[in-house]
Amino acid sequence: MTTTPNSTEQIQEQVIQDTAQFVKSVLSEDTSGHDWWHIHRVVQMTERITATEGGNRFVAVMAALLHDVADEKLNVSKEAGMRKVTDWLDTQSIPPADVEHIIEIIATMSYNGGNNPPVRTLEGQIVQDADRLDAIGAISIARVFVYSGHTGRPIHDPDIPVRTSMTSEQYRNEKSTAINHFHEKLLKLKDMINTPSARIIAEERHQYMQEYVDRFYKEWNGEI
């Protein structure tokens, strides 16, 4: 039987709903700042950017939903995380080309100490932008300290220098601080945004975050 456009859309919406429930079940107890509500925000922003920039909404939303299920910070290994994603996708009615595209986005979108190559497709750029926007601004500030508490990282230690370059292993494993993380990643993200509509959002959020860091140092030094 030939699938009509309407029924294709219905199937896709059902897959999205089922995937959202799956992701909630995996990440609902997360305490690292990569919980379901992070996913919810990234999906919302993905929808917003896609509405402006175009692209395959289904692929982008699915990648946004599943991207942290595969995150190596939340799994015993990167391979184990990707296996969770592929095992789930194998249970769904998704064309193989879309499955391949979703997996490619998830596998290549992370920051990884700034060492990953640019993502290849518009959908990948959109999801990467949406994820990075959740790491810029007011919510980002909250997430930094949640993650630092989760991993036992101190708020600030002037004796631990900011790393200007690092391998993926150093980024994941070397000792650092919450405040250093702003310099090592978060304040760099504005200039790594892919799409025009996301850049506009990033500019304002970046300014807010920079003002916070500046004030932090003033308070640390007893200036205000």
Side-chain angles (χ1 to χ4, degrees), residues 80-97:
M82 288 305 299
R83 203 155 45 241
K84 282 184 187 176
V85 171
T86 56
D87 287 350
W88 171 255
L89 292 173
D90 285 345
T91 70
Q92 302 301 301
S93 299
I94 306 174

Side-chain angles (χ1 to χ4, degrees), residues 111-177:
Y111 181 70
N112 198 30
N115 295 303
N116 274 359
V119 291
R120 185 181 62 85
T121 66
L122 174 60
E123 292 78 11
Q125 292 174 353
I126 289 169
V127 180
Q128 187 178 66
D129 283 354
D131 188 40
R132 287 180 172 175
L133 285 173
D134 209 52
I136 309 174
I139 289 175
S140 168
I141 294 168
R143 292 182 69 215
V144 169
F145 294 109
V146 165
Y147 187 74
S148 294
H150 178 80
T151 58
R153 192 165 60 179
I155 293 174
H156 182 47
D157 183 343
D159 292 330
I160 300 176
V162 172
R163 298 168 294 180
T164 57
S165 64
M166 65 199 105
T167 65
S168 300
E169 291 72 24
Q170 288 171 324
Y171 175 67
R172 295 291 184 205
N173 301 315
E174 279 187 351
K175 186 174 183 181
S176 189
T177 71

